[in-house]
Amino acid sequence: MGDKITVVSPIGTIGPMGTIPKMKVFEVVGIFESGMYEYDSTLAYISIKNAQQFFNMGDVVSGIEVRLDNIYIAREVSEKIQSLLGFPYWARDWGQMNRNLFSALALERIAMFIILTLIILVAAFNIVSTLIMIVMEKNKDIAILMAMGATKKGIMKIFIFDGLMIGIVGTIIGIVTGYISCILLAKYQFITLPSDIYYISHLPVKVKPFYILLIAVSAIIVSFLATLYPSYQASKLDPAEALRYE
């Protein structure tokens, strides 16, 4: 703050030695941080009047920005502006101006989807292995239940319910923990990123109830599917074989 900065313009006057760049000294009266490395490292703001004088533009400007209440209609508005103004004017929306950033985010989103899918599959295999071990340990109990009149469907329901309870409890714990973490992250921004690599300085968070519901339902469905094979194996148990040596 208060430092003097000399700004050089390539548009200058013609002199005996050729084009002489135009220079002007400005004082730093404020420092901004947008969170976007590309903006923070390259942009400086001066008043419109000083900019017009410095670039010899008279009373005109080189561009006008339009702010919308709904950012998701920027593409349509940009196309309408372009069609109204025509050549040589052109319009760009925020998606076109930050194409590299959104392409990188789309790639990271696909990678995160694959990683989370693998994590869920590992959790499903844990449910399968746990139920298989329970079936092996409870052979005699299952055989006694079947000898007392329990049906194969009844045995399957027992183990399906057991696996679903594991999945539902895990889903509830995961959703509550994830939601609290997201709220704290959105408020305190304790996860920082190197802005020169990721374009942004903090990890942004937006909680959408639809996605929470979708993830919860998906997790429960995967848990249910993971119970089918162990439950089927339990229902196929032959009581006579299981109790032969008892």
Side-chain angles (χ1 to χ4, degrees):
M1 297 287 290
D3 287 349
K4 305 293 183 180
I5 293 180
T6 301
V7 178
V8 181
S9 170
I11 303 174
T13 57
I14 304 297
M17 304 298 293
T19 302
I20 301 175
K22 188 174 183 179
M23 295 184 293
K24 188 172 183 179
V25 177
F26 292 91
E27 180 181 352
V28 178
V29 296
I31 298 174
F32 74 93
E33 181 180 2
S34 67
M36 288 280 291
Y37 176 77
E38 183 179 355
Y39 296 160
D40 295 341
S41 62
T42 58
L43 294 183
Y45 289 91
I46 60 176
S47 66
I48 292 180
K49 184 177 180 181
N50 285 332
Q52 291 170 336
Q53 293 175 352
F54 186 62
F55 292 107
N56 297 323
M57 297 181 64
D59 194 26
V60 299
V61 295
S62 59
I64 298 176
E65 289 189 356
V66 179
R67 177 175 293 181
L68 305 176
D69 293 331
N70 183 3
I71 63 173
Y72 298 106
I73 62 172
R75 176 63 60 84
E76 291 79 4
V77 174
S78 173
E79 292 174 351
K80 289 181 180 179
I81 292 174
Q82 181 67 58
S83 63
L84 289 173
L85 297 180
F87 183 81
Y89 302 102
W90 49 271
R92 291 189 303 168
D93 61 84
W94 54 268
Q96 294 171 325
M97 295 175 63
N98 301 279
R99 188 181 300 275
N100 292 337
L101 170 62
F102 294 111
S103 297
L105 290 177
L107 181 61
E108 288 189 13
R109 186 175 183 177
I110 294 173
M112 288 300 299
F113 173 78
I114 294 174
I115 292 172
L116 291 176
T117 301
L118 294 175
I119 292 174
I120 292 173
L121 289 177
V122 170
F125 281 122
N126 285 337
I127 294 176
V128 172
S129 61
T130 300
L131 291 180
I132 290 176
M133 292 299 296
I134 293 176
V135 171
M136 294 176 62
E137 292 176 359
K138 302 295 183 179
N139 271 347
K140 290 181 289 185
D141 301 296
I142 296 172
I144 292 172
L145 286 174
M146 296 182 75
M148 294 174 63
T151 62
K152 292 184 177 182
K153 286 186 178 180
I155 298 299
M156 284 190 67
K157 287 180 181 180
I158 292 174
F159 287 94
I160 289 176
F161 179 77
D162 189 12
L164 277 178
M165 286 302 299
I166 295 174
I168 291 173
V169 171
T171 300
I172 293 173
I173 294 174
I175 288 176
V176 172
T177 304
Y179 180 76
I180 294 175
S181 300
C182 289
I183 295 299
L184 293 175
L185 182 58
K187 184 175 182 179
Y188 298 106
Q189 296 183 342
F190 50 84
I191 297 181
T192 58
L193 302 172
S195 56
D196 55 336
I197 298 176
Y198 292 100
Y199 296 97
I200 52 179
S201 57
H202 295 88
L203 183 65
V205 175
K206 185 176 183 180
V207 179
K208 291 188 176 183
F210 172 74
Y211 286 157
I212 295 177
L213 179 62
L214 180 63
I215 292 169
V217 172
S218 301
I220 293 174
I221 291 175
V222 171
S223 300
F224 170 74
L225 295 176
T227 64
L228 295 181
Y229 176 74
S231 302
Y232 177 70
Q233 290 296 112
S235 67
K236 287 177 59 179
L237 183 67
D238 186 357
E241 289 294 330
L243 298 174
R244 180 187 295 273
Y245 302 105
E246 296 298 326

